[in-house]
Amino acid sequence: TLRLPTRPLHNGVVIGLILIVISQTISVLFSTSPFLSIFGSYERIQGAISFLHYGIFFAAVAILAGGIIDRKRILISIAAVGTVTAVVGLLQSVGINVLFAQFDLSAFLNRISSTLGHPNIFAGFLVMTIGATLGIKPKKNIHFIMLGLAIALQIAALYLTLSRAAALGLAATLFLFSFFTLQGVRSLRSLTLPNKQPSGPPGGKIKYAVSILLVLLVAASYVFLLPGRVSLEGENLRSITSRYDIWNTAISAIKDSPIAGWGQETFMLVS
């Protein structure tokens, strides 16, 4: 059965979606390049049509995921998509391009992007799919093996994106997953309802220790496996200093048009 909110305007999620639609409409109407603001660029894929897809997907999940079985199927679907895109990215890293379009690794400093056009977009996508994959609770040994392989492939692809922000996202994902798992929390709702107390092992120092250990493991792997991405020299230094120029330009653009803005995906046109 479909589960629609009885009082939509009293639902925080519905209100949030309405505000997103309003902001997207204003962004397109006042954009210096409506075409880019609607369809987005290939590298970023952040046009209004992408947000429309996000909204449709979110609405479908919210309406159809009425039971535990439905939610598990959705998690499995997300994990499967994440694993497939991870495999495509891993093949890119060894020179095998399964896409029809030509892809040049050297254009992004030998960082993979799979089917998402840009390594950072791909890395952010993987952080989300890894979180969904961790949410699956397998019951059979073969399922444990398949789940472990899916997580390993996704994490391996994430590292090959060389995204520092995604590494922080992965660390936060692992911290929250281990913390809530060791706490015995089955859902975020049980943290807010007085009659829904967490079930499972009592809280203690061990859950903090394991959570922090996983975070440190991610940080250490970046320091030792990918030292070139955490040094303050060469290309990394140029990347850091360029961000200051981008932020200054963004502040100036906001001052010039603080209400309507300039439209999504138009930063290169107004900078």
Side-chain angles (χ1 to χ4, degrees):
T1 58
L2 301 181
R3 300 178 60 189
L4 297 173
T6 55
R7 303 174 67 184
L9 295 181
H10 292 268
N11 187 299
V13 174
V14 174
I15 293 175
L17 290 175
I18 293 174
L19 291 176
I20 291 175
V21 171
I22 293 174
S23 65
Q24 290 290 320
T25 303
I26 294 174
S27 175
V28 171
L29 291 177
F30 292 91
S31 174
T32 57
S33 176
F35 181 86
L36 273 178
S37 294
I38 293 174
F39 295 100
S41 62
Y42 175 75
E43 291 79 9
R44 289 174 48 81
I45 321 178
Q46 292 296 312
I49 195 170
S50 295
F51 285 88
L52 175 62
H53 287 127
Y54 302 151
I56 293 174
F57 177 74
F58 177 84
V61 171
I63 293 173
L64 299 177
I68 295 177
I69 295 178
D70 295 330
R71 294 169 189 166
K72 186 174 182 180
R73 287 174 178 170
I74 291 172
L75 290 177
I76 292 175
S77 300
I78 295 174
V81 172
T83 303
V84 171
T85 54
V87 170
V88 173
L90 292 173
L91 291 175
Q92 280 182 347
S93 67
V94 295
I96 301 176
N97 186 17
V98 299
L99 305 176
F100 291 106
Q102 295 296 320
F103 181 79
D104 184 10
L105 277 179
S106 61
F108 293 106
L109 303 177
N110 294 322
R111 301 166 61 194
I112 64 174
S113 62
S114 188
T115 60
L116 280 86
H118 193 283
N120 291 339
I121 302 295
F122 180 39
F125 173 77
L126 286 174
V127 170
M128 293 187 289
T129 60
I130 290 171
T133 308
L134 289 171
I136 301 173
K137 296 180 180 180
K139 295 182 179 180
K140 298 180 180 180
N141 290 336
I142 184 64
H143 294 163
F144 273 102
I145 296 174
M146 294 174 63
L147 186 64
L149 179 61
I151 293 174
L153 289 172
Q154 292 177 69
I155 291 180
L158 186 144
Y159 275 106
L160 290 178
T161 65
L162 305 182
S163 173
R164 290 163 294 207
L168 295 176
L170 177 62
T173 299
L174 293 176
F175 176 84
L176 293 174
F177 172 77
S178 58
F179 179 85
F180 287 131
T181 299
L182 293 171
Q183 183 93 0
V185 175
R186 294 183 179 179
S187 68
L188 294 178
R189 193 180 179 207
S190 64
L191 294 175
T192 57
L193 296 181
N195 296 328
K196 294 284 186 179
Q197 297 299 325
S199 59
K205 294 182 178 180
I206 185 172
K207 63 177 179 292
Y208 300 103
V210 174
S211 301
I212 293 174
L213 180 62
L214 287 173
V215 174
L216 292 177
L217 181 62
V218 174
S221 62
Y222 248 66
V223 172
F224 292 106
L225 297 180
L226 301 171
R229 290 296 290 169
V230 294
S231 64
L232 296 178
E233 57 185 16
E235 184 62 31
N236 287 331
L237 182 60
R238 185 201 64 79
S239 176
I240 293 173
T241 55
S242 65
R243 279 169 167 77
Y244 289 104
D245 296 330
I246 292 173
W247 295 335
N248 288 329
T249 303
I251 293 173
S252 299
I254 293 172
K255 290 180 179 179
D256 293 337
S257 182
I259 305 300
W262 300 92
Q264 292 180 165
E265 298 281 40
T266 61
F267 182 81
M268 295 302 294
L269 300 179
V270 301
S271 60

